[in-house]
């Protein structure tokens, strides 16, 4: 089995090969096994019966998702209900946006937004500390109680809380088509993700609506990404996005055809390709769901290396429970008779801020709170 040690520690076996990745607690290594036994491919799940009137059909899908998440934390979904033309239009939109001049994109620079949303130029983030930065540019938008496209009042039956004084998203000047196009895709992917929340409830033997209370207006993030071709070096340090595990509950990624770059790290320390397949989304477990399942569903490490010589575009959608939810391990995942778990209960918003700020050390919100102890951080820091 693979083992992990902290980056600052001496590796236990100098003659062994290790894979580096970034985890929530810092830099980590995984030993490459001499006797591989973990997954070598990503399973595909057919969602044709997702809206079936038969509970048994939906339970069958839930069982397949449970097995895939337990096996490797990743799975493809097909026949998911998002029309192909919506996906095609999304990629045309991404190419049009990232082709804009630098000055226009920078009008929505992430550092202008307290919620850490907006445009990130090439090399602005650095998930792999051994590199000069991630070889990609990105734009981030997400949940916002004030933007009419998200229908907060219709979804919750309440008016937006008074603490929200301005929209959490920021948009580029002179490009209204970008906001319109992003919401065209967002308003397809968000309902699909919410359907999957109910399937996950069934996967744990719960009532289909068991998680509804935790996803009344959840934290979401959608992240259009552009990766130029990545130079290849023998140490594998040149990456579009450094090795990491997502700090979401569930992630659904739209990948453009013909440009493979996503790689998933199995427990043997071997990288497994997750290439794009037309008509599918690739999904993975995030750290919140890993905690909620007591590790039964691993938040699997992955990275992006675009060695195709082509431009690559993708768009992950991140789903996380409401920021005020207190999340604990599910009863069905507590294991031993005493119900001991590897994870303590956590507040969703508190954990979120403790993950996002260290990942954006140059951001004004991070700099403003650099001397504030982490135990005093709160999700509301993103709303100021």
């Amino acid at each position: 089995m693979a083992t992990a040690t902290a980056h600052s520690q001496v590796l236990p076996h100098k003659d062994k090969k290790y894979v580096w990745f970034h985890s929530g607690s810092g830099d980590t290594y995984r030993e490459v096994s001499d006797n591989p036994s973990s997954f070598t491919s990503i399973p595909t799940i057919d969602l044709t019966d997702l809206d079936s009137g038969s509970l048994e059909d939906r339970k069958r899908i839930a069982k397949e998702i449970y097995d895939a998440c337990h096996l490797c934390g990743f799975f493809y979904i097909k026949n998911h209900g998002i029309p192909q033309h919506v996906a095609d239009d999304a990629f045309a939109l991404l190419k049009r946006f990232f082709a804009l001049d630098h000055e226009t994109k920078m009008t929505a620079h992430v550092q202008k937004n307290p919620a850490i949303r907006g445009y990130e130029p090439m090399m602005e983030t650095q998930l792999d500390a051994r590199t000069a930065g991630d070889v990609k540019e990105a734009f981030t938008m997400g949940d916002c109680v004030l933007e009419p496209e998200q229908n907060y009042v219709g979804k919750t039956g309440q008016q937006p809380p008074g603490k929200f004084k301005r929209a959490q998203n920021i948009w580029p000047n002179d490009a209204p088509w970008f906001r319109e196009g992003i919401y065209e895709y967002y308003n397809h992917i968000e309902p699909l993700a919410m359907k999957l929340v109910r399937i996950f409830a069934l996967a744990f033997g719960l009532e289909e609506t068991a998680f509804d209370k935790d996803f009344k207006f959840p934290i979401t993030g959608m992240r259009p990404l552009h990766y130029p071709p990545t130079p290849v070096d023998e140490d594998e340090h040149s990456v579009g996005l450094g090795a990491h595990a997502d700090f979401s509950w569930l992630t659904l990624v739209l990948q453009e055809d013909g440009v493979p770059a996503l790689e998933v790290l199995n427990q043997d320390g071997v990288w497994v390709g997750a290439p794009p397949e037309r008509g599918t989304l690739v999904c993975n477990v995030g750290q919140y769901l890993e905690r909620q399942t007591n590790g039964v569903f691993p938040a699997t490490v992955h990275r992006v290396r675009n060695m195709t010589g082509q431009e690559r575009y993708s768009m992950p959608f991140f789903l996380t429970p409401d920021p005020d939810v207190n999340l604990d391990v599910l009863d069905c995942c507590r294991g031993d008779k005493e119900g001991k778990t590897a994870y303590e209960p956590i507040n969703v918003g508190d954990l979120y801020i403790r993950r996002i700020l260290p990942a954006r050390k140059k951001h004004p919100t991070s700099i403003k709170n650099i001397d504030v102890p982490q135990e005093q951080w709160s999700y509301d820091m993103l709303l100021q």
Side-chain angles (χ1 to χ4, degrees):
M1 293 296 291
T3 59
T5 62
H7 180 59
S8 59
Q9 295 177 341
V10 177
L11 297 176
H13 304 292
K14 292 183 179 180
D15 59 339
K16 293 285 188 178
K17 184 177 179 181
Y18 292 86
V19 176
W20 179 97
F21 60 93
H22 180 79
S23 66
S25 58
D27 299 343
T28 306
Y29 286 96
R30 179 172 296 170
E31 182 182 319
V32 179
S33 174
D34 293 328
N35 299 293
S37 60
S38 187
F39 66 91
T40 57
S41 62
I42 310 299
T44 299
I45 297 172
D46 190 335
L47 298 187
T48 298
D49 293 327
L50 183 63
D51 295 318
S52 170
S54 166
L55 178 60
E56 292 307 310
D57 285 343
R58 302 195 299 279
K59 284 184 174 181
R60 175 183 50 76
I61 294 173
K63 175 64 165 58
E64 292 179 14
I65 287 180
Y66 184 101
D67 291 345
C69 289
H70 181 51
L71 172 69
C72 63
F74 264 77
F75 58 96
Y76 291 94
I77 53 175
K78 65 179 182 179
N79 297 319
H80 44 64
I82 297 179
Q84 187 59 47
H85 72 83
V86 171
D88 294 340
D89 289 349
F91 284 118
L93 179 79
L94 267 56
K95 293 174 183 178
R96 184 181 178 188
F97 171 74
F98 287 117
L100 287 172
D101 61 87
H102 183 69
E103 291 73 20
T104 298
K105 289 183 286 190
M106 287 296 284
T107 63
H109 188 212
V110 67
Q111 293 194 11
K112 297 180 179 181
N113 179 269
I116 317 184
R117 309 270 179 84
Y119 174 67
E120 290 179 342
M122 203 76 66
M123 311 291 282
E124 180 135 332
T125 60
Q126 183 191 29
L127 279 180
D128 189 334
R130 303 167 302 169
T131 70
D134 297 323
V135 187
K136 57 116 177 77
E137 56 179 335
F139 185 93
T140 300
M141 61 81 66
D143 59 288
C144 179
V145 304
L146 299 179
E147 290 189 339
E149 295 95 334
Q150 297 197 31
N151 190 24
Y152 178 83
V153 175
K155 290 177 180 176
T156 67
Q158 300 175 350
Q159 292 298 316
K163 64 183 177 182
F164 292 89
K165 303 300 183 183
R166 58 178 172 178
Q168 289 172 272
N169 295 318
I170 184 173
W171 300 96
N173 294 342
D174 304 319
W177 47 267
F178 182 62
R179 176 172 175 167
E180 294 168 5
I182 285 292
Y183 268 115
E184 175 64 21
Y185 181 73
Y186 184 95
N187 288 328
H188 279 84
I189 191 70
E190 191 265 350
L192 171 61
M194 294 306 296
K195 289 180 182 179
L196 290 176
V197 169
R198 291 192 164 188
I199 293 295
F200 273 91
L202 291 178
F204 299 120
L206 304 173
E207 291 293 326
E208 210 162 3
T209 57
F211 294 149
D212 286 8
K213 66 183 186 307
D214 297 334
F215 290 87
K216 289 177 288 189
F217 198 81
I219 298 173
T220 60
M222 200 160 73
R223 193 163 167 77
L225 290 156
H226 167 226
Y227 301 91
T230 303
V232 181
D233 64 44
E234 61 182 12
D235 294 323
E236 300 183 345
H237 290 176
S238 296
V239 293
L241 187 61
H244 67 286
D246 289 347
F247 59 94
S248 59
W249 194 82
L250 181 68
T251 303
L252 297 83
V253 185
L254 180 66
Q255 301 187 91
E256 188 179 23
D257 300 343
V259 191
L262 178 62
E263 299 175 330
V264 179
L265 185 64
N266 72 16
Q267 290 302 312
D268 295 317
V270 176
W271 290 104
V272 177
E277 296 181 4
R278 187 168 176 80
T280 71
L281 298 164
V282 62
C283 306
N284 62 276
V285 172
Q287 293 178 16
Y288 286 93
L289 190 49
E290 178 181 65
R291 296 180 70 99
Q292 196 172 17
T293 63
N294 202 27
V296 173
F297 288 2
T300 302
V301 173
H302 52 286
R303 69 181 180 186
V304 175
R305 287 200 307 158
N306 180 15
M307 300 178 291
T308 64
Q310 304 176 61
E311 305 296 315
R312 180 184 189 258
Y313 300 87
S314 67
M315 189 149 54
F317 174 86
F318 306 99
L319 179 70
T320 300
D322 301 346
D324 60 351
V325 166
N326 293 314
L327 204 65
D328 200 356
V329 172
L330 296 167
D331 289 343
C332 62
C333 298
R334 288 187 171 268
D336 63 36
K337 295 180 180 179
E338 296 180 4
K340 294 180 180 179
T341 70
Y343 301 97
E344 296 296 323
I346 52 96
N347 174 268
V348 168
D350 287 350
L351 182 59
Y352 186 89
I353 195 73
R354 292 174 189 179
R355 292 291 185 265
I356 196 169
L357 282 195
R360 301 291 187 276
K361 294 179 181 179
K362 300 177 183 178
H363 193 277
T365 301
S366 296
I367 295 170
K368 177 182 177 181
N369 295 283
I370 193 170
D371 295 324
V372 179
Q374 279 201 14
E375 58 268 20
Q376 296 179 24
W377 291 2
S378 72
Y379 186 78
D380 285 356
M381 291 163 56
L382 300 174
L383 312 179
Q384 300 170 2

